[in-house]
Amino acid sequence: MMRSKPDEDDYWNSSKCRAFTFDDDYDELSSLKESKRAVNSIRQFVVDEDEDEDDMVKVSWSGEPIGSITWSIKETASSTKQEQSFPKIDSGPSLPRQGSGYSLSSLFKAAQDPYAIAFYYLINSNLDLSGVNLSLPGGHSYGDSLVFFIPSYVFFFFFFFFFLQFCSLETFRSLKDKMQLLDQAVCANDGNVITAVCTHVFLQKYFLQCKLEVLSRELMSRDVALRHYIHYLKEMGEQKLLVELFKSLGRTEDMALLQYREHLSIKDEVRRKEYLKSCISLPFPPDDAGHVQDHYTLLERQIIIEANDKHLENKGQVEVFKKHPRKASILNMPIITTLYYSCVYHYGESEGTYSSPANIRSTFKISEKQYLLTALSARAKLKEWLDVGSLFTTKNWLGYTKKRSPIGFHRVVDILHKNNAPAQVLQEYVCLVEDPNLKISLAQKYKCHDIVIDMYKDQKDRQQLIVYQGKVERGSPEDKKIQDILNNTQIRWKN
Amino acid sequence: MAHSARRDAPELPDFSLLKRLARDQLIYLLEQLPGKKDLFIEADLMSPLDRIANVTMLKQHDVDKLYKVENTPIFSTCDQICFLIRPRIQTVKWIADTVNADKAAGKFRKYKIIFTPQKFYACETVLEEQGIYGDVSTDEWAFYLLPLDDDIISLELPEFFRDNFLEGDQRWVTTGGSALHLLHSLFGPFSKVYGIGRCAKMVYESWREQVEESEQKAQKSEIGNVFLIDRDVDFVTPLCSQVVYEGLVDDIFRIKCGCVEFGPDVTTADKSMKVMLNSQDKVFSEIRNEHFSNVFGFLSQKARNLQTAYDRRGMDIKQMRTFVSEELKGLKQEHRLLSLHIGASESMMKKKTKQDFQELLKTEHSLLEGFDIRECITYIEEHINRQVSMIDSLRLLCLLSLTENGLLPKDYRSLKTQYLQSYGIEHLLTFANLRQLGLLVEQQPGDALTAMESKVGKLVNDKTAEKLTGAFSSLAKKSNFRALSKKLALVPKTGEEYDLRVPRDMAYVFSGAYIPLSCKLIEQVLERDGWTGLEEVTRMLNGNEFVVTASHSGADARFKTDSQRIILVMFLGGCSYSEISALRFLGREKGYKFIVLTTAIINSARLMEAMLDNHV
C-alpha cells in the first residue's frame, strides 16, 4: 500500500500533464516542496520554539484568568417598544382555521377550562432571551371566564403540565375535540408542543382501548402530528406501541423495518440469528425480503465458519492460519468481506463446503466482476501470483490459453500494486492493457521501464526516450538499454 | 489575493457580545445551585463551551470537578451534581439511572439539569416516568449562538437536520426562531426577510411572533436583510467533494467547532496539535477561500517573503535590536503557521492521490453535467465492489439519484444489492431513510414525463405543470436538478477554459464545474429583490418561497444604507464551507457582506452519517 518517499517524488516528477490535478502535478508539488525547504531552512532563526507556544490558539481548558462579569443579564432586557412589525405568512399546513389562527374563541368555543387557557399561552409565549421574566399585566377578562395571566414562559409550562397531570381530559373527551386540539397545536408549528399534545391526546391507555382503526383514520390526514408522535415513540423506545400503530396505519413496510432494526440490539450471535430468521416472514417488499433472507443465511454460515476456524487456528496445524493469523472474527461482517476471508483461508475448497469461495459466490449470487475483484485482492495479498494468473486465464476451443478480464487490466494492475506485487508481476499485467496511452502512463507510474522503453522505440519517439532516460538511474541496465537504442542507427526516428 | 474586491463593503458587526451573553447566563445558572458541585458535560457541548468559558471561570463558581457524560456509572463524591446537556432522551435516561442508583444506595445528593438551548417535553416525561421528577431541578441555558468566526455563527445542532427533515419533528423550529430573535434584538432591526422552504417559513413565523411579543431598543441596525433557506432545497451542493482549502481541510481532517486536529504527519512532530482555523490566522485567512490548486503558489511565495524578511545580514546592533523586539515575534508566528499549512497541504495531497481523487472528481462532474451517465454508474459500481469508503459510495449514489431524478428500477436494484453485499445488509435501514428523504430513489413508472420535463428544461405550459405537480405530490420529493441547472445556468458549458486563479463566478469552489444551487438562489433573489421571475425555479423547488418587508414608521430609514448590504443567511439543516466560500466571493463581487448562520457546519460525510441507522 505505502510507497516509499523517493518513489513518490519520482512519480510526481515523471508526469507530463501540466494542468492542475490531484493525481499528478509536477509544478505545484515541487513548488510546495521548495517552500517547505525554504521554511525549514529558516528554522534556525527561530529561537526557543516553546516560548511562543502561546501564539498559537490552543484549544483546551486553559486556566487563564478571565475578566470580571460585567454584563448583568438584566441589562439586555431594558428596552423601548419597537415600531416595526412583520407580516404573518402562512407557514403551517393548510388546515381549516376558524378566525385568525389560534385565538381563544376559535380554540375553545365550548370549553372554557384552565387547561385550555394554559395551552393558549403555551403556544403563544416564547422564551425571553435573557431568561428574565416578562411581566404581563394581570387580570383580563374574556367572555364570561376569568383568564389568568402568568408572569413567565417557564410558569406557563408548569401551569400547562400541572393541569395536564392533575385534570383528566374531561373537556376533550370526544374524538372531534381531541383532533381539534391537535390541529391547533400543529398550526403553532412548535414541534415540542405538538409532541406534548400528541402524547396527551393519545394517552397510551386511551390509545390501546380505542379502536386503532378509528384513530389511525384521523391520524392519517394529520401527517405532521403523526410524524411527531412516531418520532416520540421511537425516542422513548416504545417498540410495541409503534408496531401496533404502523400496523393499524397500514404501513407494513415501516413496521417490518422497525422490527428488523431490533436485531442490532441483540449482541449474542445465536440469538441474533434466530431473531433474523423470524424477520424473514415480515411483510417486506420482495427485494428486501430476499436481502433479509440473505442476512440470516450469512450469519448462519458465519457462525459455522467461525467455530470451525477458531478450532483450526488453535490447533495450529493449518499453514495459512499460522502464516496469516486472523485479526478479527468473521461474525457480522458483510458478504464481500466474508468472501474475501474465504478466499484467504479457504481458497480451493470444493463447492460443497460452506466456507468455500465457490459456495459463497453461488449462495449470494455474487457477480463475476465482484467475485474477481475480491479473489484478486485476497490472492494478491497472500502473494499467490499463480492463483492470480489463473483467475484471468481462459482456454479457447483450440486449447490455447489467453488472459481475459471483465474489469480492465489497468484496474488489475492497480490492485496488484496496492498489494505490493513485485515488478515482474506488474509488468506482465501492464502489458495486457489495451489502450496504448493508458499502458504507457501505467508503465511509467509503476516503473516498468522495459515496457516504456520498448513502446517509445516502437513509436520511434526519440525525444520522449531522451526525456525518459533522464528519469532512470544513471548507469542502470535501463539507462544502458536506452543508450543502445539511441545509438542504433538503423531506427528511423520520427523526431 | 487576486480578487477585485469592492472597496465599499460594510463592516461586520462584532459578535463577541454573543459569547459574553452566553457565558454570563451560564454563570447565573451555576449560581442557582450554590456551593461546591461537580459538573457533567455532554461530550459534544465541550468544544462549544470551550469557546466561551474556561476552567478557571467554572472553578470561580464552585465547580469542583468536570466530567464528560459517558453513559456509564458515575464516581463522584460531591453532594451536588449539575448536568449540562442537550435535550436528548438518551442522556436524560442515563441521568435518571444515576439518580435512581444513588437512591438505592441511600446516597442523598442535589441534582440539577441544565438543558441547552432548551428543554423538551419528552425529556421531562422521562424524568416523570423514572420517578425522579421532583428530585431533580431543571433549567434552560439559552445558548443559541456560537460565533465561529467573524462571519460564521453556528447553532451547533447537527441533529437539527435529521430531526427536521427525516423524522419530520419540528421541535427545533422555535429554537431557530429564538436564535434569529436574539440576533434581531442585538443587531437588528431587520428590514427585509427572504426565504425558501417549509422550515424557513415556520422559523420566520416563530421569530415574528417573538418579535411581536417582546420589546426592542431603538438602535442602529447592523444587519438589514435576512435570507432563510432549508437544506432540502439543495442537497447536491453539500454532497460534492470540496476543493476549496477550508472545505478540503474539513473533508479530510474534520473541522470541529472551528478547530482542527492535525496529526503528526502534518505537524512533523511526534504529537498531534489542535489548531483554531479562523480569520485570526493570517496565513489561513488568505488561503481558506482559494481553490486548492492556488494554495501551493501562495504558500511558496509566502515562504520566499519570509525568508527575505529573516535574512538580516549586515544589520548593525541597533537595527538588530529593533528587529528582535518588533518584527521577530510576528515573523515567528507567521513561520509556524506557514509550516503548518504547508504540512497540511502536503498531507492532503498525498491522501487524495492515494484514493484516486481525480477520477472521483471526474465522475462527480459528469453527474453534474449529465454526461456519460453509464460510465458514472460503472465507476460507482466498482467503487462499491472494491469496498472503498462506505460513505463515499453512498454519497455518489445519492448524487446520481439527485441529478438524474431517481435511478432506473434496474439500476436501483442492482446497485442496492451490491451495496448491501459490500457494506452490510443492515444498510437496508439506511436505504429506507434515504428514500424517505428523497436522496436516493427509484424512478416511478409515471416519472417518464417528469424526466422528459427536466430534459426539455421547461414545460409546455404552466397549467400542465400544475396538474403534474398535483398528480405526483404524493410521491417523494423530486429534485428536478437537471432542469434547475439549465434554468439557473449552474453548470458552465464544457470545453471553456476556467482559470481558477482568477475566478469569474462562484463555480470556482467546485473547480469551475458547478455553481452551488443554494448560493445561486441567494444571488438571484438579492439581485431581483424578491422572487419575481423565478416562478418556474421555485415551482421546481416545491415552492414555499417568501419575501416580507417590515412595515416600519420611517424612523430608521436613515440607517438603511450600510446595513442593507449586510445579509444574514440562515441555513436550516446546515451548510458547507464551500457554500460559505462561494458567498464570500459573491459578497466581494457585489459589495455585500454575508453573515452565515447555520444549524451546524456540514459536509458530505456528516450528511451521509446522519442518515445511517445501523447503531442502537
Side-chain angles (χ1 to χ4, degrees):
Chain A
M1 286 295 255
M2 294 289 287
R3 259 183 269 145
S4 64
K5 207 170 161 60
D7 204 45
E8 214 149 43
D9 285 357
D10 217 77
Y11 163 45
W12 294 117
N13 291 328
S14 63
S15 168
K16 60 178 179 186
C17 185
R18 293 230 132 204
F20 176 82
T21 63
F22 280 92
D23 267 350
D24 34 18
D25 198 69
Y26 166 68
D27 256 5
E28 304 291 3
L29 204 84
S30 67
S31 79
L32 188 64
K33 293 233 180 286
E34 187 189 300
S35 26
K36 196 180 184 186
R37 265 194 295 279
V39 172
N40 288 341
S41 74
I42 47 182
R43 208 154 256 176
Q44 50 184 312
F45 289 94
V46 187
V47 267
D48 45 19
E49 289 267 346
D50 294 336
E51 180 212 82
D52 53 2
E53 203 68 57
D54 51 3
D55 285 349
M56 297 299 300
V57 193
K58 274 277 177 67
V59 189
S60 64
W61 286 88
S62 61
E64 61 184 294
I66 51 129
S68 63
I69 301 151
T70 47
W71 267 78
S72 112
I73 296 153
K74 281 171 192 151
E75 257 180 41
T76 51
S78 62
S79 52
T80 57
K81 187 75 189 164
Q82 187 206 6
E83 314 162 75
Q84 189 191 22
S85 73
F86 276 87
K88 191 168 157 55
I89 56 167
D90 174 29
S91 60
S94 48
L95 281 163
R97 282 193 207 172
Q98 296 138 319
S100 60
Y102 27 86
S103 72
L104 266 180
S105 58
S106 70
L107 221 189
F108 307 105
K109 268 191 296 199
Q112 285 163 348
D113 65 338
Y115 161 57
I117 295 153
F119 174 62
Y120 172 78
Y121 283 109
L122 179 71
I123 59 179
N124 281 292
S125 64
N126 65 285
L127 241 178
D128 183 27
L129 69 101
S130 55
V132 170
N133 294 347
L134 265 175
S135 298
L136 290 171
H140 181 285
S141 65
Y142 189 87
D144 44 16
S145 75
L146 190 71
V147 182
F148 311 115
F149 278 89
I150 300 101
S152 86
Y153 173 81
V154 178
F155 199 69
F156 283 141
F157 231 105
F158 171 74
F159 190 69
F160 174 51
F161 292 116
F162 176 82
F163 277 102
L164 280 179
Q165 275 150 31
F166 296 101
C167 304
S168 63
L169 290 159
E170 296 288 313
T171 46
F172 292 94
R173 269 197 164 159
S174 82
L175 193 59
K176 199 178 151 217
D177 284 346
K178 283 178 200 289
M179 289 306 146
Q180 204 179 358
L181 181 67
L182 196 57
D183 292 345
Q184 296 300 338
V186 169
C187 285
N189 287 335
D190 184 338
N192 199 23
V193 175
I194 300 173
T195 307
V197 174
C198 270
T199 52
H200 281 279
V201 168
F202 312 123
L203 277 175
Q204 292 171 15
K205 196 174 63 190
Y206 168 81
F207 196 120
L208 293 172
Q209 285 161 0
C210 171
K211 281 225 182 308
L212 273 167
E213 297 88 76
V214 179
L215 201 64
S216 53
R217 198 177 53 229
E218 291 295 330
L219 273 174
M220 228 159 343
S221 59
R222 290 173 171 79
D223 189 50
V224 174
L226 184 60
R227 292 179 81 178
H228 280 82
Y229 193 50
I230 290 171
H231 190 217
Y232 171 79
L233 293 179
K234 256 192 210 167
E235 280 194 311
M236 297 298 276
E238 299 279 2
Q239 183 80 1
K240 269 190 197 144
L241 205 54
L242 207 46
V243 169
E244 286 303 306
L245 181 63
F246 279 142
K247 204 190 272 172
S248 63
L249 288 168
R251 289 167 58 171
T252 49
E253 194 185 337
D254 287 321
M255 185 189 81
L257 281 168
L258 182 75
Q259 283 174 285
Y260 169 73
R261 190 177 187 276
E262 273 297 289
H263 85 267
L264 294 167
S265 59
I266 304 171
K267 290 282 162 284
D268 177 69
E269 63 269 7
V270 178
R271 279 187 48 227
R272 186 185 262 213
K273 183 193 76 176
E274 289 311 313
Y275 186 83
L276 283 171
K277 192 176 184 182
S278 74
C279 286
I280 297 171
S281 56
L282 292 172
F284 283 106
D287 284 347
D288 286 356
H291 294 310
V292 174
Q293 166 79 54
D294 277 356
H295 199 168
Y296 164 70
T297 318
L298 178 68
L299 188 56
E300 191 187 29
R301 300 283 165 90
Q302 284 173 339
I303 292 172
I304 297 168
I305 298 171
E306 177 67 23
N308 197 28
D309 287 2
K310 212 173 182 173
H311 180 68
L312 285 178
E313 191 175 29
N314 288 341
K315 271 208 315 207
Q317 282 166 350
V318 183
E319 193 60 28
V320 68
F321 289 110
K322 272 196 280 184
K323 241 166 94 186
H324 307 278
R326 302 189 316 150
K327 288 196 186 84
S329 118
I330 193 62
L331 294 172
N332 299 315
M333 292 296 164
I335 293 174
I336 300 309
T337 313
T338 312
L339 177 65
Y340 182 89
Y341 174 93
S342 87
C343 285
V344 171
Y345 294 108
H346 302 279
Y347 202 67
E349 283 177 16
S350 74
E351 201 180 330
T353 57
Y354 276 162
S355 53
S356 71
N359 190 303
I360 292 172
R361 181 183 175 178
S362 64
T363 306
F364 299 106
K365 297 179 202 69
I366 292 165
S367 69
E368 188 197 355
K369 200 165 136 185
Q370 172 73 76
Y371 176 78
L372 197 79
L373 279 166
T374 313
L376 172 64
S377 15
R379 296 326 281 171
K381 185 92 196 161
L382 300 184
K383 311 216 177 307
E384 298 286 352
W385 310 120
L386 281 176
D387 287 345
V388 169
S390 62
L391 278 172
F392 301 104
T393 313
T394 48
K395 267 196 186 130
N396 69 4
W397 60 279
L398 289 172
Y400 294 120
T401 59
K402 199 185 166 218
K403 282 214 163 44
R404 199 184 60 84
S405 161
I407 51 169
F409 279 105
H410 63 288
R411 283 273 174 244
V412 176
V413 173
D414 188 35
I415 292 170
L416 290 173
H417 174 75
K418 289 206 163 118
N419 286 297
N420 298 319
Q424 62 271 32
V425 175
L426 279 180
Q427 190 154 330
E428 186 186 343
Y429 291 93
V430 171
C431 275
L432 293 166
V433 176
E434 274 174 23
D435 179 0
N437 289 331
L438 191 59
K439 187 169 168 178
I440 208 159
S441 73
L442 280 174
Q444 291 197 354
K445 189 168 164 184
Y446 300 123
K447 300 200 185 348
C448 304
H449 300 303
D450 283 342
I451 299 178
V452 181
I453 296 166
D454 290 342
M455 281 187 76
Y456 283 141
K457 186 185 158 195
D458 293 346
Q459 290 172 0
K460 313 217 183 308
D461 195 337
R462 203 167 63 97
Q463 292 304 324
Q464 287 288 1
L465 205 53
I466 292 170
V467 172
Y468 199 72
Q469 192 179 23
K471 287 175 191 163
V472 299
E473 209 177 313
R474 191 164 285 240
S476 63
E478 295 82 35
D479 186 33
K480 264 172 78 186
K481 183 175 173 179
I482 296 176
Q483 203 50 54
D484 288 347
I485 295 171
L486 288 175
N487 291 342
N488 187 337
T489 48
Q490 290 187 332
I491 301 172
R492 267 194 228 146
W493 298 106
K494 73 171 180 190
N495 50 22
Chain B
M1 296 191 74
H3 303 295
S4 53
R6 271 179 59 160
R7 286 287 165 84
D8 57 346
E11 286 293 306
L12 287 167
D14 178 15
F15 293 120
S16 59
L17 175 63
L18 294 169
K19 291 191 189 180
R20 255 194 310 179
L21 214 59
R23 186 174 59 212
D24 294 349
Q25 211 179 4
L26 178 62
I27 291 170
Y28 174 82
L29 289 172
L30 287 174
E31 280 174 352
Q32 300 298 298
L33 188 68
K36 260 196 170 18
K37 59 216 156 236
D38 281 355
L39 184 62
F40 284 77
I41 305 168
E42 187 125 49
D44 49 1
L45 272 175
M46 313 242 304
S47 296
L49 197 57
D50 253 330
R51 295 291 167 283
I52 59 158
N54 56 40
V55 174
T56 319
M57 185 216 93
L58 294 176
K59 297 258 172 196
Q60 280 171 348
H61 295 90
D62 285 334
V63 171
D64 191 26
K65 288 195 189 73
L66 287 164
Y67 297 94
K68 193 160 89 176
V69 168
E70 278 176 314
N71 293 328
T72 48
I74 62 168
F75 300 100
S76 164
T77 50
C78 203
D79 55 6
Q80 293 199 102
I81 297 182
C82 187
F83 301 94
L84 185 57
I85 60 166
R86 289 278 185 222
R88 293 181 189 136
I89 306 276
Q90 221 46 42
T91 322
V92 180
K93 277 190 173 158
W94 168 76
I95 292 174
D97 290 345
T98 307
V99 174
N100 279 326
D102 279 357
K103 264 191 192 170
K107 232 182 267 171
F108 178 76
R109 300 198 233 230
K110 251 184 161 175
Y111 309 93
K112 183 188 185 75
I113 305 178
I114 301 174
F115 291 102
T116 185
Q118 67 187 94
K119 69 182 153 200
F120 286 141
Y121 163 76
C123 299
E124 290 189 314
T125 317
V126 174
L127 293 179
E128 193 191 327
E129 274 181 6
Q130 305 285 322
I132 56 160
Y133 192 82
D135 305 328
V136 177
S137 62
T138 60
D139 235 320
E140 288 179 322
W141 177 31
F143 177 34
Y144 294 111
L145 300 169
L146 177 69
L148 292 179
D149 208 340
D150 299 344
D151 59 350
I152 312 174
I153 306 172
S154 170
L155 272 73
E156 291 295 309
L157 288 174
E159 60 253 66
F160 185 105
F161 176 71
R162 188 177 160 123
D163 284 348
N164 192 76
F165 294 104
L166 182 68
E167 309 286 359
D169 192 323
Q170 299 164 5
R171 51 163 62 146
W172 298 110
V173 165
T174 323
T175 319
S178 306
L180 209 52
H181 182 220
L182 180 54
L183 283 174
H184 179 257
S185 50
L186 294 174
F187 306 102
F190 307 149
S191 44
K192 203 153 194 173
V193 183
Y194 312 90
I196 183 161
R198 209 174 86 84
C199 186
K201 269 190 172 176
M202 292 191 286
V203 167
Y204 167 79
E205 264 304 302
S206 163
W207 165 72
R208 190 192 55 81
E209 278 163 22
Q210 296 183 39
V211 170
E212 266 181 12
E213 281 160 32
S214 65
E215 301 166 24
Q216 175 144 15
K217 269 186 276 193
Q219 61 186 8
K220 186 176 180 298
S221 168
E222 291 184 83
I223 301 174
N225 295 329
V226 178
F227 197 109
L228 303 171
I229 182 167
D230 278 18
R231 185 68 273 175
D232 67 355
V233 166
D234 173 15
F235 278 134
V236 171
T237 305
L239 286 176
C240 293
S241 295
Q242 306 194 69
V243 283
V244 163
Y245 188 74
E246 192 167 12
L248 200 55
V249 172
D250 189 34
D251 273 1
I252 295 180
F253 301 103
R254 292 205 177 214
I255 302 176
K256 201 173 128 200
C257 218
C259 170
V260 72
E261 186 165 356
F262 284 133
D265 57 327
V266 173
T267 56
T268 54
D270 48 357
K271 57 177 196 287
S272 46
M273 181 159 52
K274 284 190 174 177
V275 187
M276 288 289 288
L277 293 178
N278 55 33
S279 52
Q280 302 294 305
D281 178 335
K282 289 286 169 278
V283 176
F284 178 69
S285 66
E286 285 189 79
I287 54 175
R288 66 194 307 183
N289 299 313
E290 289 297 313
H291 188 272
F292 194 55
S293 60
N294 286 356
V295 170
F296 301 115
F298 175 81
L299 290 176
S300 56
Q301 182 58 46
K302 200 94 180 156
R304 273 197 294 277
N305 293 350
L306 198 60
Q307 211 168 12
T308 328
Y310 268 116
D311 194 2
R312 292 301 163 106
R313 270 168 294 200
M315 271 193 293
D316 60 29
I317 291 290
K318 204 176 156 202
Q319 284 169 321
M320 195 89 91
R321 190 180 292 145
T322 13
F323 173 71
V324 170
S325 63
E326 284 165 20
E327 287 173 58
L328 195 59
K329 197 169 181 198
L331 287 176
K332 263 160 53 183
Q333 194 187 359
E334 200 177 326
H335 172 255
R336 280 194 98 101
L337 293 170
L338 201 52
S339 56
L340 201 64
H341 289 293
I342 289 173
S345 303
E346 204 177 22
S347 160
M348 291 197 286
M349 194 74 185
K350 272 188 197 153
K351 286 198 175 105
K352 286 300 181 191
T353 312
K354 209 179 263 170
Q355 68 163 77
D356 294 324
F357 194 48
Q358 196 59 39
E359 226 177 317
L360 187 75
L361 282 183
K362 212 182 100 198
T363 306
E364 281 180 28
H365 293 172
S366 297
L367 288 174
L368 291 168
E369 247 179 83
F371 190 65
D372 279 345
I373 296 304
R374 271 296 127 199
E375 249 170 68
C376 293
I377 293 177
T378 313
Y379 176 83
I380 298 172
E381 204 172 55
E382 213 164 290
H383 206 267
I384 295 170
N385 287 163
R386 291 175 74 174
Q387 292 185 298
V388 198
S389 154
M390 178 257 282
I391 291 289
D392 265 341
S393 293
L394 206 56
R395 171 170 80 83
L396 288 169
L397 285 176
C398 291
L399 264 182
L400 174 68
S401 169
L402 287 169
T403 52
E404 287 291 295
N405 246 337
L407 273 63
L408 292 173
K410 166 176 79 71
D411 291 333
Y412 180 81
R413 217 167 305 142
S414 138
L415 288 167
K416 180 174 170 182
T417 304
Q418 296 184 61
Y419 192 93
L420 298 180
Q421 289 185 338
S422 270
Y423 304 109
I425 294 166
E426 63 277 10
H427 282 291
L428 269 179
L429 300 162
T430 314
F431 277 80
N433 287 342
L434 291 171
R435 192 185 50 197
Q436 161 98 12
L437 201 58
L439 276 175
L440 179 52
V441 295
E442 198 176 340
Q443 279 174 14
Q444 301 296 319
D447 284 3
L449 201 56
T450 347
M452 206 172 70
E453 167 193 349
S454 34
K455 282 221 174 74
V456 177
K458 61 175 186 178
L459 274 163
V460 196
N461 64 47
D462 280 8
K463 268 202 178 138
T464 344
E466 267 162 28
K467 262 189 217 156
L468 260 178
T469 334
F472 294 120
S473 59
S474 56
L475 298 173
K477 205 181 132 181
K478 298 264 162 38
S479 76
N480 292 319
F481 179 78
R482 203 71 68 211
L484 280 166
S485 162
K486 276 221 180 93
K487 191 82 203 159
L488 291 168
L490 300 180
V491 177
K493 285 191 194 78
T494 37
E496 271 177 52
E497 275 299 305
Y498 197 102
D499 187 358
L500 292 168
R501 274 154 232 263
V502 197
R504 58 166 183 260
D505 53 27
M506 292 186 282
Y508 93 94
V509 301
F510 293 116
S511 308
Y514 162 66
I515 300 175
L517 170 58
S518 51
C519 304
K520 185 73 180 185
L521 272 179
I522 294 166
E523 179 206 85
Q524 288 293 311
V525 170
L526 291 178
E527 208 164 84
R528 294 156 194 263
D529 194 21
W531 296 92
T532 337
L534 294 170
E535 291 79 7
E536 217 173 305
V537 171
T538 56
R539 203 193 62 231
M540 287 190 276
L541 291 170
N542 283 1
N544 282 322
E545 77 281 5
F546 62 91
V547 49
V548 282
T549 317
S551 56
H552 43 79
S553 49
D556 42 14
R558 62 205 147 95
F559 304 131
K560 270 212 141 162
T561 47
D562 258 11
S563 71
Q564 283 308 300
R565 283 188 289 126
I566 298 208
I567 296 138
L568 179 76
V569 180
M570 185 177 197
F571 285 91
L572 297 156
C575 81
S576 67
Y577 279 114
S578 293
E579 285 170 312
I580 298 176
S581 289
L583 286 178
R584 285 183 185 137
F585 174 83
L586 184 65
R588 281 194 302 270
E589 292 283 296
K590 311 264 172 171
Y592 298 129
K593 269 275 162 68
F594 286 101
I595 298 155
V596 172
L597 172 60
T598 178
T599 51
I601 298 281
I602 54 160
N603 58 22
S604 57
R606 289 189 200 109
L607 197 67
M608 290 290 99
E609 279 158 11
M611 292 296 109
L612 301 183
D613 229 350
N614 54 354
H615 54 86
V616 183

